[in-house]
């Protein structure tokens, strides 16, 4: 059967379909449970959570499903200079963002104690929580971490954007490699070269990676229906990771404005931008993206912290021009608004083609 392979057997899945992990509060337990219960691998992007929250999250998930699931962390979650600002630098940054606070009727936020989490603290909490699968982006976990995952029975998934990254990930000994083409929505998770230098499309990337690694490969980027699933498996991938189509479902953690925008003509026009987080990511082009073109953002996670202080208010006010609208190039293919309906359609369409 098309859905029975090394990947599905290793992770205990019925179907080789992974729900992409969404960071920044876009993940939801409802969505990941729906996918896992349907026979795929539900995922939760946890890189924004404090370490003490990871154990609580794993408990909440296990109370809802006994099926495999993945928790995702960012190995590199701080760019150079992204750990602190002087008071003068913070004041200058406030002035840069003041037009957005003013437009929303908000007072600027006070200077925080920290702008993000440390992977080193989070990963120990992850190991303690012992999820069935730990997935990572923006780098390769250390040999000690991967060894401890094997000892604890935690399967590991690492994400790559180039052939060289795939080879390095394979040599490190992860259990599954997710190869993501530049069509994908959200962040470009490159780690050997800059994201701008690592823009290979899914159609070209997958067979080249499959030919060079021994680890099962999962295809991501631009896959939104059963045709994409069948194409990825034909290219040699053992599964697919789908982000935008699941993000558009009612069960996801994003806001209604974002979900609605994914089904509009605006979703035809995506852009790669560092405007919202300081790291390159693909989303629907809007006013904020355009106003930051040619402007150097603050390093991650500081830029991400600043935009995060007003995005919820902007969404509540219906200001789609001021929020990140992550979307892949496959967004115009979207049809389904419920996770189980989407999952069943993917299985049926792919099965019909692959049989």
């Amino acid at each position: 059967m098309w859905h029975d392979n090394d990947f599905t057997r290793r992770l205990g899945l019925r179907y080789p379909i992974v729900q992409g992990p969404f960071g920044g509060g876009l993940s939801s337990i409802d969505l990941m449970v729906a996918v896992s219960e349907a026979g795929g691998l539900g995922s939760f992007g946890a890189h924004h959570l404090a370490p003490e929250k990871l154990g609580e999250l794993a408990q909440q998930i296990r109370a809802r499903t006994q099926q495999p699931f993945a928790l995702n962390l960012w190995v590199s979650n701080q760019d150079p200079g992204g750990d602190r600002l002087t008071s003068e630098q913070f004041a200058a940054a406030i002035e840069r963002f003041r037009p957005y606070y003013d437009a929303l009727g908000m007072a600027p936020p006070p200077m925080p104690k920290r702008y993000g989490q440390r992977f080193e603290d989070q990963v120990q909490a992850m190991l303690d929580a012992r999820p069935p699968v730990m997935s990572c982006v923006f780098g390769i976990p250390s040999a000690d971490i991967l060894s401890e995952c094997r000892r604890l029975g935690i399967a590991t998934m690492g994400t790559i954007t180039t052939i060289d990254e795939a080879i390095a990930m394979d040599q490190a000994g992860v259990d599954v490699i997710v190869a993501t083409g530049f069509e994908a929505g959200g962040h470009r998770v490159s780690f050997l070269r800059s994201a701008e230098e690592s823009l290979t499309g899914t159609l070209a990337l997958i067979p080249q990676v499959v030919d060079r690694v021994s680890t099962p490969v999962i295809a991501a980027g631009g896959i939104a229906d059963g045709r994409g699933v069948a194409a990825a498996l034909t290219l040699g991938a053992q599964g697919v990771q789908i982000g935008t189509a699941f993000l558009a479902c009612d069960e996801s953690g994003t806001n209604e404005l974002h979900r609605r925008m994914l089904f509009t003509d605006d979703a035809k026009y995506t852009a790669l931008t560092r405007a919202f987080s300081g790291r390159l990511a693909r989303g629907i082009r809007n006013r904020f993206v355009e106003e930051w073109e040619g402007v150097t953002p603050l390093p991650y996670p500081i830029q991400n912290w600043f935009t995060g202080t007003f995005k919820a208010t902007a969404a509540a006010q219906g200001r789609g021009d001021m929020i990140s609208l992550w979307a892949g190039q496959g967004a115009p293919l979207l049809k389904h608004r419920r996770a189980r309906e989407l999952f069943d359609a993917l299985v049926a369409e792919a099965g019909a083609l692959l049989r």
Side-chain angles (χ1 to χ4, degrees):
M1 292 185 291
W2 65 270
H3 48 81
D4 179 24
N5 56 38
D6 291 343
F7 167 63
T8 54
R9 289 192 292 271
R10 171 67 180 84
L11 269 63
L13 308 176
R14 185 177 181 187
Y15 298 107
I17 298 173
V18 180
Q19 169 237 318
F22 314 127
L26 301 185
S27 291
S28 78
I29 294 177
D30 285 346
L31 177 60
M32 67 179 304
V33 167
V35 174
S36 290
E37 287 291 307
L41 184 69
S43 306
F44 195 105
H47 80 276
H48 64 293
L49 295 179
E52 61 270 18
K53 296 295 184 181
L54 285 170
E56 297 175 13
L57 173 63
Q59 290 179 354
Q60 292 169 356
I61 296 167
R62 287 190 170 102
R64 298 276 305 275
T65 183
Q66 299 303 304
Q67 301 303 315
F69 63 88
L71 298 184
N72 178 268
L73 291 179
W74 291 18
V75 177
S76 167
N77 55 11
Q78 179 180 292
D79 291 338
D83 57 340
R84 65 177 62 85
L85 292 177
T86 65
S87 56
E88 291 80 10
Q89 290 171 327
F90 184 83
I94 286 291
E95 291 308 308
R96 179 65 184 84
F97 288 98
R98 187 175 294 278
Y100 306 107
Y101 297 125
D102 291 345
L104 296 169
M106 297 177 60
M111 188 172 180
K113 293 182 178 179
R114 62 188 307 171
Y115 295 94
Q117 305 298 326
R118 294 179 67 250
F119 171 74
E120 294 78 10
D121 298 331
Q122 292 175 314
V123 75
Q124 184 56 57
M126 178 78 79
L127 294 171
D128 292 340
R130 295 183 68 171
V133 182
M134 180 180 79
S135 66
C136 292
V137 295
F138 285 113
I140 305 174
S142 69
D144 288 343
I145 292 172
L146 293 176
S147 176
E148 185 66 3
C149 285
R150 284 190 289 271
R151 187 185 73 82
L152 295 172
I154 302 172
T156 54
M157 297 176 63
T159 308
I160 61 88
T161 64
T162 67
I163 298 169
D164 288 340
E165 289 177 352
I167 293 171
M169 194 72 72
D170 188 43
Q171 292 174 344
V174 299
D175 295 307
V176 179
I177 292 175
V178 179
T180 176
F182 74 79
E183 301 94 330
H187 283 89
R188 302 302 304 142
V189 295
S190 308
F191 58 89
L192 288 184
R193 295 191 176 192
S194 73
E196 287 84 354
E197 295 179 287
S198 307
L199 298 177
T200 304
T202 305
L203 188 66
L205 182 64
I206 299 307
Q208 294 182 61
V209 170
V210 169
D211 287 349
R212 287 168 171 81
V213 303
S214 59
T215 306
V217 174
I218 305 303
I223 302 170
D225 60 18
R227 292 173 297 178
V229 177
L233 298 185
T234 301
L235 291 172
Q238 293 197 24
V240 297
Q241 179 172 284
I242 297 176
T244 303
F246 281 117
L247 185 63
C249 293
D250 293 342
E251 296 92 338
S252 82
T254 193
N255 55 74
E256 183 55 37
L257 175 59
H258 188 178
R259 276 192 289 267
R260 187 168 65 251
M261 291 287 287
L262 290 172
F263 288 96
T264 68
D265 283 345
D266 290 332
K268 296 176 182 176
Y269 305 102
T270 61
L272 287 168
T273 179
R274 290 181 178 267
F276 283 103
S277 73
R279 288 185 171 178
L280 196 67
R282 183 179 295 282
I284 297 173
R285 179 177 288 277
N286 61 9
R287 166 198 167 190
F288 192 87
V289 171
E290 292 174 352
E291 289 182 349
W292 281 79
E293 287 182 346
V295 179
T296 302
L298 294 165
Y300 183 89
I302 297 176
Q303 179 83 4
N304 192 63
W305 182 87
F306 272 101
T307 59
T309 62
F310 61 77
K311 284 194 295 186
T313 300
Q317 294 184 16
R319 296 295 301 268
D321 60 331
M322 293 174 61
I323 63 174
S324 52
L325 300 165
W326 304 138
Q329 291 183 328
L333 296 170
L334 301 184
K335 297 178 181 178
H336 303 281
R337 297 177 186 268
R338 299 293 297 178
R340 187 56 189 257
E341 292 175 4
L342 168 62
F343 195 95
D344 289 347
L346 292 169
V347 170
E349 294 166 8
L353 291 167
L354 292 167
R355 276 195 293 269

